[in-house]
Amino acid sequence: MRRVRASSIRRLRALKNISWLTAPQLEKLALALTVSTVEKRAIIFDEKHSPDSAFILLAGVARITCRNRKGQRTSVIMIAPGMIPGFPPPVPGISYNFRCEAVTPCQIGMIDLAAFLEISLGVASADFKRMAASYMGRWDLVQLRCANFMNCTLEERLALTLLELSENFGVPDAKGTRLTLPARHKDLAELVGASRPRITEHMSMFERQHLIARDNRQLIIDRDRLESFLAQTQVSENSPATV
């Protein structure tokens, strides 16, 4: 038993992104891991798995994939042995369907996230998540939005930005979600990469379609309608062309 434990500790110490753990921490981690083998091309975990689990790639090569705007699955990160990154929080109006897949036969260690954080940092998982979200400031959301924008029309980019603003600065309202900050067309234009006149034109169109409304100079957003609008545009893009 002691020989197996020493072998596990040596393997964990060789992993670059957790090599900073002390010998006692590595020993606790080795004892707490549930180890399994995943065949080539099999799914290691996806968005259906609990976000409260942590995965460590002990051997092999893995990748994280997602679906693009056309519904095609594409690789976004290649994973070497070590801690496997967790999926970013969802972005309103965008469905990525992330999953981690085995490129080669892989050996995977799984541990409850709360237990891993207790071993490695000595903190509660809820406290860590709050601190990480505050410190990082959701830069992951900015990166996801920018990457997705490359394949979006202006009206789609504007709809996604309005959903993001309503998520961060919205309060419930009888008519939808009321923004607590001024939604100036100049600011919206900078966020979506368009001219101010084009934004004014599209905002007027959104009002006519009852996706948004104005009340005492405040913007009210109908999130359900905006999300339905984005879903319809994605279906249209993925539909085969008719001759």
Side-chain angles (χ1 to χ4, degrees):
M1 182 68 177
R2 185 171 299 173
R3 186 178 304 167
V4 173
R5 184 184 304 172
S7 174
S8 299
I9 292 172
R10 284 197 300 271
R11 175 176 291 186
L12 290 173
R13 185 179 290 115
L15 304 179
K16 290 184 179 179
N17 60 4
I18 60 172
S19 61
W20 50 272
L21 294 177
T22 65
Q25 288 173 319
L26 289 171
E27 182 175 355
K28 290 180 181 178
L29 180 58
L31 290 172
L33 283 179
T34 299
V35 179
S36 61
T37 299
V38 179
E39 298 299 322
K40 181 179 179 180
R41 297 191 182 91
I43 297 174
I44 298 172
F45 66 96
D46 57 22
E47 292 182 341
K48 298 176 183 177
H49 283 76
S50 170
D52 294 325
S53 296
F55 294 84
I56 298 175
L57 179 60
L58 300 172
V61 177
R63 66 176 182 172
I64 292 178
T65 67
C66 72
R67 293 198 181 279
N68 59 24
R69 294 281 295 178
K70 295 181 179 180
Q72 301 165 334
R73 185 158 292 280
T74 183
S75 298
V76 290
I77 305 175
M78 298 299 292
I79 308 295
M83 189 83 181
I84 300 178
F87 299 146
V91 178
I94 303 176
S95 177
Y96 283 98
N97 192 15
F98 285 110
R99 73 186 186 197
C100 182
E101 306 169 350
V103 177
T104 66
C106 293
Q107 190 173 41
I108 304 295
M110 185 178 71
I111 182 174
D112 182 77
L113 180 61
F116 178 75
L117 291 173
E118 175 63 32
I119 291 171
S120 59
L121 299 177
V123 298
S125 61
D127 294 338
F128 172 81
K129 289 178 181 179
R130 283 193 290 265
M131 185 59 172
S134 299
Y135 181 71
M136 296 303 295
R138 290 306 309 273
W139 280 105
D140 61 314
L141 189 149
V142 175
Q143 293 172 328
L144 288 173
R145 171 160 51 83
C146 291
N148 194 72
F149 272 10
M150 291 188 291
N151 297 317
C152 289
T153 64
L154 174 54
E155 59 185 11
E156 289 172 327
R157 300 201 305 270
L158 181 58
L160 288 168
T161 299
L162 291 173
L163 282 173
E164 181 183 325
L165 291 174
S166 69
E167 182 80 10
N168 296 325
F169 301 99
V171 294
D173 185 273
K175 299 178 181 178
T177 302
R178 182 184 295 267
L179 293 188
T180 58
L181 82 169
R184 300 187 306 171
H185 289 191
K186 178 179 180 295
D187 295 332
L188 292 173
E190 292 178 355
L191 286 171
V192 304
S195 66
R196 181 174 176 176
R198 292 291 307 283
I199 292 300
T200 299
E201 175 187 339
H202 280 73
M203 289 290 282
S204 297
M205 181 186 71
F206 280 7
E207 283 193 65
R208 293 194 298 270
Q209 295 176 342
H210 304 292
L211 304 177
I212 61 175
R214 291 194 177 276
D215 183 32
N216 294 327
R217 295 188 177 183
Q218 286 188 311
L219 190 65
I220 300 174
I221 295 173
D222 190 321
R223 290 180 55 88
D224 291 338
R225 284 179 178 269
L226 270 180
E227 290 177 356
S228 296
F229 163 77
L230 286 169
Q232 289 171 3
T233 58
Q234 187 167 354
V235 168
S236 299
E237 290 173 0
N238 295 337
S239 299
T242 56
V243 179

